[in-house]
Each structure stands twice: as C-alpha cells, then as structure tokens.
Amino acid sequence: MSPQHEQRPLSLQGKTAIVTGASRGIGAVIALDLASRGADVCLTYVSDKSGEAVTKLAARIRSLPHRPVAQVCQADLSTLDGPQRVVDKFLKSDGSKERPLHILVNNAGVERVKSLAECTVEDYDAVYNLNVRGVILMTQAVLPYLQPAGRIINISSVGARAGFANLSLYCSSKAALEGLTRCWAAELGHNGTTVNAINVGPVQSDMLNNIPKEIVQRQKETTPVENRLGTAEEVARLVAWLAGDESGWISGQAISASGGWAMY
Ligand SMILES: NC(=O)c1ccc[n+]([C@@H]2O[C@H](COP(=O)([O-])OP(=O)(O)OC[C@H]3O[C@@H](n4cnc5c(N)ncnc54)[C@H](OP(=O)(O)O)[C@@H]3O)[C@@H](O)[C@H]2O)c1
C-alpha cells in the first residue's frame, strides 16, 4: 500500500462503501484505495486475530488528508444474521438517521483444497455459505440503502471459468457468483445501478499460500503480461473504476483481471 494513495483526486467523495473481508489481502487494499479517492468505508472482517490489523488500517484511512470515515465491523458473513449485522452497525450506526450506501464490494471469500472424494458437507457449507449465500444475504441487506446509480462489485476468480483439480467447491462457488452478477445486473439496472464481477487471477495473499504451488507456477508461466502474479493494487484500481461514474454503461460483466491469463 503505497503513499501515492494519499494524493489521489477525490473522485469518490460523498460516496459510502462497504468492503467485505477488508482486514487483509485484496480487500484491505480495495478499502484503502476507495477511501483514498474520497469514499467513506466500512471494513468488515471475521476473526479476532485480524482485529488489530483492521483497526490499524481504519486509523490509517481516517488520517488521510480528507479525513474519510472508516468503521470496522466484525461479522461472520457465512451466518444467516452476519450481513444484517454489518448493515445495522454501519448504515444505522448513528441511531435513527440512516446512512445511504453507494458501493458494495463483495470481497470476502474462502477456498477448500480437496479432491471430490474428500469433500464433505462441512466443506461445502464453509465455501458456499460465504462465497454464495453470504453474498446474496449481504446484497439483499444493503438494498434498502443502495442509492440510484449504485455499484455492486463481486470479487470472483478466473477459477469461475477454469478447471482446477481439487478446487471444485471454490471454482463452482465463483461460477455461481458470476451467475448472480448477471441476474442482478438485469434486475437492478433500472435506476442506473450496475453489477459486475472481477475474475481475479493469482495475487499474493494468505489465500494464495494455500493453493497448490504447481497450479500457481503454471498460471505464472502462462500469464501473457510479464509471466507474473497480479497485485492487490491492480485489482483495487479496477474496483475503483467500476465504483466510479465513468463505468456507468458497464454492467453484468465478469472482467478478467489476470494479465491476460483468462481471455473472455
Ligand atoms: N488471492 C488470490 O490469488 C485470489 C484469486 C482469485 C480470487 N480471489 C478472491 O479475492 C477475494 C479476497 O481474497 P484474498 O486472497 O485477499 O483472501 P484472504 O487474504 O484469505 O482474505 C480473506 C478475507 O475474507 C475475510 N473472511 C474470511 N471468512 C469470512 C467470513 N466467514 N465472514 C466474513 N469475512 C470473512 C477475512 O477476514 P479475517 O481476516 O477476519 O479472517 C479476510 O479479510 C476472495 O473472494 C477470493 O476468492 C483471490
């Protein structure tokens, strides 16, 4: 997270955003990037051990020269009531007055590396209850607050359209997210709201550390742009563009952010 964040044009000033899974990895960089462009942000996380990191990130955001709002919210988004808790805390946080919402980034996600034979119902629940049901419930929960020309950005994966051994639960959950993206784009577009997915290629993070090394190495070797991994900053810049006014005619898309590894 570079100091350049502190000098950006405030193209998102007056906007309010929720970024799920913003304690580390890609989500933390997305939250900082949106805030550095002027947005007030809610950073969600789940585990106690991430509390300190997310609190520090929120403090760093609040200390930006334009003093954006940054609120943290601990909630397990794989539960039935987790998404509503985020809304109750952030969008209803000052009692009777409700905060309007402009941008929702559904970023939190988990994977399980298991063969088909090894997958259990618990694995299915862990992946689908967050990556699919959690996104549905989170998006439903914000709908009453989402302003016209709202922006819903779903962080998916190139795995949504690729076949990786031992990742079937994860990849299929991200394929479901693409399906949700298209249907919601059709359903919510009447007032200028757009819904898009970003199909991210490999980016260094805790999650990537758990992906079999040979898969990541093969992806690097076959990535046209510089045979490298992507960075969270590269993903965050695309999120910021989708979150802004300039992308208003783009909806229902799954955009590959993978240095050309996946070409649609
Ligand atoms: N990294 C990659 O190469 C890559 C590639 C393609 C797609 N993606 C997608 O990008 C997104 C972010 O990935 P990442 O690599 O940054 O992941 P990460 O480093 O593992 O971070 C995951 C984030 O999600 C939060 N989270 C996990 N379980 C949660 C739950 N039950 N409820 C609420 N929040 C929860 C975590 O919070 P805590 O810190 O509190 O645990 C953390 O903030 C995911 O949707 C992932 O599928 C990543």
Side-chain angles (χ1 to χ4, degrees), residues 21-27 44-47 50 75-78 107-110 130 155-158 170 174 200-203 205-208:
S23 47
R24 54 196 167 93
I26 297 170
T44 91
Y45 71 110
V46 66
S47 51
S50 290
D76 184 346
L77 299 179
S78 69
N107 166 77
V110 287
L130 179 63
I155 304 300
S156 185
S157 164
V158 292
Y170 177 73
K174 293 301 190 179
V200 178
V203 166
S205 72
D206 295 337
M207 178 181 281
L208 195 72

Side-chain angles (χ1 to χ4, degrees), residues 162-181:
F164 292 122
N166 303 322
L167 279 165
S168 59
L169 289 177
Y170 177 73
C171 292
S172 60
S173 75
K174 293 301 190 179
L177 191 51
E178 262 202 61
L180 295 172
T181 300

Side-chain angles (χ1 to χ4, degrees), residues 154-222:
N154 295 323
I155 304 300
S156 185
S157 164
V158 292
R161 299 191 192 185
F164 292 122
N166 303 322
L167 279 165
S168 59
L169 289 177
Y170 177 73
C171 292
S172 60
S173 75
K174 293 301 190 179
L177 191 51
E178 262 202 61
L180 295 172
T181 300
R182 285 188 280 271
C183 292
W184 293 343
E187 203 172 317
L188 303 177
H190 55 90
N191 67 1
T193 293
T194 67
V195 187
N196 290 288
I198 300 179
N199 286 7
V200 178
V203 166
Q204 199 53 62
S205 72
D206 295 337
M207 178 181 281
L208 195 72
N209 291 338
N210 199 33
I211 301 283
K213 298 281 169 282
E214 60 280 8
I215 291 183
V216 178
Q217 186 55 33
R218 214 179 318 130
Q219 276 185 288
K220 267 174 76 170
E221 284 164 7
T222 52

